[in-house]
Amino acid sequence: MLPTPDLPSALPAGLPAAASPEQLDALAADLRAAGLEPLRSAGELEGLSADGFVYSPVLQPLLCGLRAQLGVRVATVEQVLQVAAACGRHRVSLTLRGAATGNYGQCIPLAGGLVLETSGLNRLRQLQAGSGVFTAEPGILLSDLDQQLQQAGRELRLVPSTMRTATLGGYVAGGSGGIGSLRWGFLRDPGHLLGAEVVSVEPQPRLLQLDATGAQPLNHAYGCNGIFTALTMTSAAAVPWQQLVLEFPEWSRALAAAQQLPASALLLNALCAVEAAVAARLPWPQGCPGADGTGHRLLLLAAPDALPLLRSWLPELGGQLIWQAPQGQSRGLPLRELTWNHTTLHLRSHDPGLTYLQLMLPQPEGPALDGLRARWGDDLLWHLEAVRSMGRQRLACLPLVRWRGPEQLQALIDHARELGCLLFNPHAISVEDGGLGVVDADQVAAKLDYDPAGLLNPGKLRGWS
Ligand SMILES: Cc1cc2nc3c(=O)[nH]c(=O)nc-3n(C[C@H](O)[C@H](O)[C@H](O)COP(=O)(O)OP(=O)(O)OC[C@H]3O[C@@H](n4cnc5c(N)ncnc54)[C@H](O)[C@@H]3O)c2cc1C
């Protein structure tokens, strides 16, 4: 077998041993004494030990079957402190879990131990009237949070396409961007996370109030270096977004429109481009014409004031508007649930032999896409998302990839890099390998400070290992 440097073939080395029966009994007794109910049945533990890693045929054989040894659900910060103290005392590893929609096994316990589920910790604590800055607890569903912000004329700047099911804490610790990334970039960009309330894991846990600088090392750290009990973040003025579907007979014209539209002064919150073969397999909202496999489509969220110019521009761009409905008022799936990794979800439901990659395309994008298509043909299907990266409009590519084994996938990754693409590897276990590949010293320093015994989500922070 050829080496596949980007694709793990084993769990990370040096994982701690699973907790002994004595440790577990002592931990469960402490949880009960704190008024919490330890979850220990096989069904409960199986349910607490799965997430969306099945999209990766590389991760699937490695993570399938890994189980928590104990579970617990919390609803108050005091309970989080008690769980952290008990794990610290008995030296049992502790993995946090929001809604478990992550795709890289972020919340899968690699070494057993306790899984703490946060869904009961779900209040919007504060919304500042003037600035729209809010403080909310990590277990709140993003859709619930957004609804509460909307009542005050605000909305979340960034949401994953899973916003109906995902939690705020899981998104900040395990997600990266999504709807809104076209305007606001990515969650780790300075200016989104302004502060965090964090519990350390040690026999006498601390409840820390971190400012933006202090919270940043915990942003996208898979819950390896502290437990969020509240997050303070910026919001945006709410816009009554219009969902639009545009169709283009030629892929080159669809790509050109995907490059031009975000570079205009039109207010857009999302732009997703799918080639005809992908469009043909998506479940379009009610009233939107089905795709017959000939038209390439752009899915847009646009402000109402963008519509007149967009309509008059479309003939020149070579496309036509085939469907329009206000967000929140259409029937069937909302348009955002056809974008980002929902595209992968829908295509895999037709053909489980597909997986995906995440690439930032070089500019101009055409030559890299042409180069990949020339070599890989129908093994790749195009799905692009417009984003802002480092302040510049870019196109990210989440191609659907025919799975033909790790060597082929590695060869595709190598080829994409040769063509100038930047990989955000969805087939990786550690925080670093799913990002830019480099150890972030601040993330490791925060772990040393807030999790000195290394109990949080073992094996996920390579810099610590
Ligand atoms: C169909 C589909 C589409 C998706 N689309 C997107 C997308 O558009 N953008 C995107 O970024 N992601 C996307 N994802 C990935 C995922 O849905 C999001 O990242 C989501 O926000 C994760 O939230 P969650 O509540 O499910 O977190 P979980 O999966 O439960 O947890 C994620 C990580 O956060 C940690 N964590 C949870 N709670 C806490 C806490 N209180 N303190 C510290 N750490 C904590 C966990 O340990 C884990 O490491 C998609 C996934 C699927 C399956």
Side-chain angles (χ1 to χ4, degrees), residues 121-210:
L121 207 58
N122 58 9
R123 287 180 313 130
L124 170 59
R125 286 190 189 166
Q126 199 199 8
L127 171 61
Q128 289 174 22
S131 64
V133 169
F134 68 88
T135 300
E137 292 176 346
I140 191 168
L141 287 183
L142 291 165
S143 53
D144 290 348
L145 173 57
D146 195 61
Q147 235 165 39
Q148 293 181 54
L149 297 181
Q150 296 268 356
Q151 285 164 16
R154 307 294 300 183
E155 65 181 18
L156 287 167
R157 286 180 170 189
L158 292 171
V159 290
S161 58
T162 45
M163 78 175 288
R164 286 205 285 185
T165 45
T167 65
L168 177 67
Y171 187 41
V172 173
S176 52
I179 289 95
S181 280
L182 187 157
R183 289 173 83 195
W184 300 107
F186 292 89
L187 273 168
R188 284 212 84 195
D189 294 347
H192 292 307
L193 181 60
L194 299 186
E197 182 181 272
V198 169
V199 168
S200 64
V201 178
E202 42 199 343
Q204 267 106 39
R206 291 163 285 159
L207 182 64
L208 302 137
Q209 304 294 340
L210 304 179

Side-chain angles (χ1 to χ4, degrees), residues 261-346:
L261 291 172
S264 70
L266 299 176
L267 185 55
L268 304 177
N269 207 34
L271 183 155
C272 165
V274 288
E275 69 166 301
V278 176
R281 293 185 225 168
L282 290 177
W284 296 96
Q286 260 181 40
C288 177
D292 62 5
T294 59
H296 310 282
R297 290 189 172 185
L298 295 194
L299 289 57
L300 294 184
L301 293 180
D305 63 9
L307 298 184
L309 177 67
L310 196 57
R311 276 204 198 88
S312 58
W313 197 0
L314 268 175
E316 191 188 320
L317 291 171
Q320 55 169 328
L321 177 64
I322 60 166
W323 182 75
Q324 175 186 344
Q327 180 165 264
Q329 293 177 37
S330 54
R331 302 184 68 187
L333 292 181
L335 205 58
R336 68 166 175 271
E337 290 187 16
L338 273 56
T339 70
W340 290 90
N341 234 350
H342 267 86
T343 319
T344 319
L345 177 144
H346 297 305

Side-chain angles (χ1 to χ4, degrees), residues 15-24 67-69 90-93 109-114 458:
L15 286 173
S20 67
E22 294 73 30
Q23 280 175 299
L24 290 175
R67 292 281 179 274
Q69 295 171 287
H90 301 294
R91 295 182 85 83
V92 174
S93 62
L110 302 185
L114 179 84

Side-chain angles (χ1 to χ4, degrees), residues 8-31:
S9 55
L11 291 179
L15 286 173
S20 67
E22 294 73 30
Q23 280 175 299
L24 290 175
D25 287 342
L27 177 58
D30 279 10
L31 296 180

